[in-house]
Amino acid sequence: MNLDITYPRRKTTPCRVGPLTIGAGHPVVVQSMITEETRNVDACVEQIIALHRAGSEMVRVTTPSLGEAECLEAIRAKVTEQYRYVPLTADVHHQGTAIAIEAAKHVDEVRVNPGLFVFRKFTNQIEYTEAEHAAEKEAIEESFAPVIEACKKHDRAMRIGVNHGSLSERMLVTYGDTPDGMVESAIEYLQLCEKHGYTNLNISAKASRVPVMVAANRLMVKRMDELGMAYPLHLGVTEAGDGTYARIKSTCGIATLLMEGIGDTIRVSLSEDPINEIPVCYDILQALGLRKTKVEYIACPSCGRTKFDLPTVLHKVREATKHLVGLDIAVMGCIVNGPGEMADADYGYVGAAGGKITLYRKREIVKNGIPQEDGVTELIALLKSDGVWEEPPVSDSASEKKPLQPLQVR
């Protein structure tokens, strides 16, 4: 029996990013960022296409100056001409008014960093008066309002993206190096957007330390609830590093919040080729039951009761059935725990005494006494008889040039 034990997702307002919608009950969106220099237009185009083929539904492009912002027009045109329309985000940081306005002409979303957008050199100030707070807010609005108007004019989304490592001096002095400063920094920009009648927004609050990232996003939700806001959140652990630890670190932060119903789009930030980020994102979403983009395999860790070489058998079963997205298949090593542990699987492949295999359809034994060497063949025959078998796709150069479709949702 399948049990619904997932957290209810936080109700959020929709944020439209080109053809995508973030929040408002839509599937959690996977995104990444290219590493090529923006002025190298052809290299950017190639990497954007590769990332989208791999499953990155949005792709971010760094836009540190007006020159890079002007390159976005050619990047957008070439991606669409050579491949298809891909939702793009421009990443804007220091003194970004003119950059963001130009970027809004060409991409679907503009990301601004409140800690850097109106950049002030550190002054070692130890306190800010109410008048000084008001003066800085006024300076922010003067620079930020034209960006809001550009996004409204071109019907673009905006991400208010706060980083723990780049808070303004005013926020650090007022709130300390804490999640509070991150949240209040974002809230100021959200309130300015609302003041100017603009709400096509999403937010990120990222940190390189998981506890800070988790605390900041929880607090962001609390503060938005208090203010009657319900903007969607983009989740990620920034500067996570590379290798296994970076993947674990990112999963800890992202999955913790998703299990609380918080989060509408995610990125796993790795110090590697960004294409490596995509499978980690989808694995997180599948493990939490939020999206299903591949077969779910349930397999025991093996023990002395195991009746076959479980790693080898699991590999054979996976290679034969991995294209049947939507199925849950259990490969269990013994008859003792197998039937119970695989109760939620659609099909079971269980080792039995005497070198035999027993096949299950859910909890029902379909066939037993199958010789091990015939197990995979018999499993395929069962799938065919149930009408769930499809022939695996042919991998050739022509098919590899077609857009990948990894986005099935269960």
Side-chain angles (χ1 to χ4, degrees), residues 94-278:
H94 295 82
Q95 304 298 102
T97 303
I99 303 168
I101 290 172
E102 177 65 25
K105 299 175 184 177
H106 313 299
V107 298
D108 306 280
E109 180 183 62
V110 175
R111 183 262 176 149
V112 297
N113 182 339
L116 300 174
F117 188 76
V118 178
F119 185 68
R120 298 278 196 272
K121 290 186 178 180
F122 276 71
T123 62
N124 295 316
Q125 196 164 336
I126 61 172
E127 186 178 0
Y128 278 77
T129 66
E130 287 189 15
E132 287 171 326
H133 275 290
E136 285 224 7
K137 289 181 181 179
E138 185 176 335
I140 290 170
E141 183 171 11
E142 183 179 349
S143 295
F144 190 47
V147 177
I148 296 172
E149 294 306 315
C151 287
K152 288 165 64 177
K153 175 182 177 181
H154 299 289
D155 194 22
R156 308 305 192 193
M158 184 187 297
R159 168 151 55 107
I160 307 298
V162 181
N163 277 1
H164 182 234
S166 58
L167 292 176
S168 68
E169 184 179 53
R170 179 169 61 93
M171 288 296 165
L172 287 171
V173 167
T174 306
Y175 298 100
D177 185 15
T178 66
D180 299 78
M182 297 171 66
V183 171
E184 293 308 317
S185 185
I187 292 295
E188 281 190 355
Y189 276 68
L190 293 174
Q191 289 176 327
L192 282 175
C193 287
E194 291 188 343
K195 178 180 176 181
H196 289 265
Y198 176 70
T199 58
N200 195 26
L201 301 160
N202 65 91
I203 313 155
S204 64
K206 294 189 177 184
S208 60
R209 289 187 290 155
V210 172
V212 175
M213 174 266 193
V214 170
N217 281 277
R218 286 172 175 164
L219 182 59
M220 189 76 74
V221 169
K222 181 176 181 291
R223 287 288 287 126
M224 282 198 288
D225 286 346
E226 292 170 353
L227 295 168
M229 298 174 175
Y231 297 113
L233 287 172
H234 168 60
L235 304 181
V237 177
T238 190
E239 298 163 352
D242 65 351
T244 301
Y245 182 64
R247 288 158 171 79
I248 292 172
K249 189 175 180 181
S250 295
T251 300
C252 288
I254 293 169
T256 296
L257 291 164
L258 287 174
M259 287 190 69
E260 296 175 13
I262 297 170
D264 305 277
T265 172
I266 64 172
R267 180 194 175 192
V268 171
S269 300
L270 300 177
S271 301
E272 303 175 16
D273 185 330
I275 208 163
N276 295 339
E277 300 173 358
I278 310 308

Side-chain angles (χ1 to χ4, degrees), residues 42-121:
D42 289 337
C44 289
V45 169
E46 182 178 349
Q47 195 172 32
I48 288 167
I49 293 172
L51 279 169
H52 194 266
R53 283 186 185 277
S56 180
E57 297 161 288
M58 295 171 55
V59 181
R60 187 154 47 113
V61 181
T62 186
T63 317
S65 74
L66 189 58
E68 277 86 1
E70 291 169 345
C71 291
L72 295 173
E73 181 177 13
I75 290 171
R76 154 67 68 218
K78 288 193 172 188
V79 168
T80 304
E81 178 186 357
Q82 295 178 23
Y83 174 63
R84 60 189 286 189
Y85 193 94
V86 176
L88 298 179
T89 299
D91 201 35
V92 178
H93 285 281
H94 295 82
Q95 304 298 102
T97 303
I99 303 168
I101 290 172
E102 177 65 25
K105 299 175 184 177
H106 313 299
V107 298
D108 306 280
E109 180 183 62
V110 175
R111 183 262 176 149
V112 297
N113 182 339
L116 300 174
F117 188 76
V118 178
F119 185 68
R120 298 278 196 272
K121 290 186 178 180

